[in-house]
Each structure stands twice: as C-alpha cells, then as structure tokens.
Amino acid sequence: MSSETIAIAADHAGYELKCFLKARLIELGFRVADLGTDNTMPVDYPDFAKTLAQAISNGLYDRGILLCGSGIGMSIAANRFVSVRAALVQDEETVRLARQHNDANVLVMGARQIDASVAEDCLIAFLTTPFEGGRHQRRVFKLARSL
C-alpha cells in the first residue's frame, strides 16, 4: 500500500468519473482525500478547484486530480495557486509529457471529453511517470518564480 494520499475533487459534471477514479486509486493502494462534490447537483467548479489547489499549495497533499465537464475551468482555476502545476490532458501521451517535462502535480480531465477507460489509463500514467528533471527543472523553477 502506498503511503501517499491523492486529493481528488470534481464538480457535478465530473462526479461520476471522480467516483470511478477514486475506487481505482483505493484498489491501487492509495489513500484518497475526497474534496467533493458528493453528487450530481449543479455546483461551481472554481470552489472545488480552489479547495484542492490550496491543499496542494499548502503542502497537505503532493498530488491531486480535478474533474469537470471540459477540464478547462478546473485547470485555469487551479493554476492560480503557488506550486500547483495542473495539466489538462486528453490521453496517456499528454499525461506522460506533463509529468516528464512539467512535473505536473494535478491531473485535470474533462469528464465529457474522455471515457472512463482512457481516464484510467491517464491516471496510471500520472501515478507512474517520473519527472525527468535536467533541462526541465530549470523551466519548472521559472514557473514557480513567475508567480
């Protein structure tokens, strides 16, 4: 079992995918901090992005997952926080690049844009792909300094 806790949050559009990915994380041995929402009743995605991004920024969790209809709003909102590198992804390749080159610590997906099997593949890639460092470290450092 992993000692890492992964934070996860979604709006109403991402709720069902959140439940699926949360169960998969638990099966893989991760602890999960479910930061909402708890149903499909309409809510505002910035509230959930803020909760998760603040927790990452404050060091409560190292990594997180955000889900909404398109993923766009969640990624915009999350990237406003220091030390958050939220990457909106579409497939395994974009996840691998986000991890390898950008040290992405928040995986963002659009529940209306991606099916559960692709989302699961993205989750596995997010959990297993290391940051390459090297020339990419300099760039990630510049991202942190620009805030």
Side-chain angles (χ1 to χ4, degrees):
M1 178 170 194
S2 175
S3 62
E4 184 178 6
T5 300
I6 306 289
I8 191 167
D11 71 357
H12 56 283
Y15 173 72
E16 290 181 13
L17 185 57
K18 181 191 77 152
C19 292
F20 172 76
L21 294 175
K22 178 180 173 181
R24 189 67 180 110
L25 283 164
I26 292 168
E27 288 172 11
L28 292 168
F30 289 88
R31 293 186 205 132
V32 179
D34 186 338
L35 304 179
T37 191
D38 298 324
N39 56 55
T40 58
M41 296 298 295
V43 293
D44 296 332
Y45 67 83
D47 298 333
F48 296 92
K50 178 181 179 181
T51 298
L52 186 138
Q54 277 184 329
I56 299 281
S57 186
N58 292 335
L60 295 176
Y61 309 106
D62 292 328
R63 294 192 281 181
I65 300 164
L66 287 170
L67 307 157
C68 66
S70 68
I72 296 167
M74 286 288 200
S75 61
I76 291 170
N79 279 315
R80 294 175 180 263
F81 291 82
V82 174
S83 301
V84 172
R85 293 174 305 281
L88 174 58
V89 302
Q90 298 81 32
D91 53 33
E92 283 183 81
E93 180 65 16
T94 54
V95 176
R96 280 194 297 276
L97 290 170
R99 286 288 308 130
Q100 292 170 338
H101 296 185
N102 308 110
D103 197 17
N105 56 4
V106 177
L107 177 68
V108 185
M109 292 182 279
R112 295 179 179 143
Q113 311 300 316
I114 195 168
D115 67 34
S117 66
V118 173
E120 182 178 10
D121 292 341
C122 289
L123 173 67
I124 300 301
F126 180 67
L127 297 172
T128 60
T129 304
F131 176 50
E132 288 182 352
R135 72 183 195 275
H136 305 296
Q137 181 61 57
R138 180 179 76 247
R139 295 164 184 162
V140 170
F141 179 69
K142 285 181 178 184
L143 288 173
R145 285 187 32 218
S146 68
L147 300 175

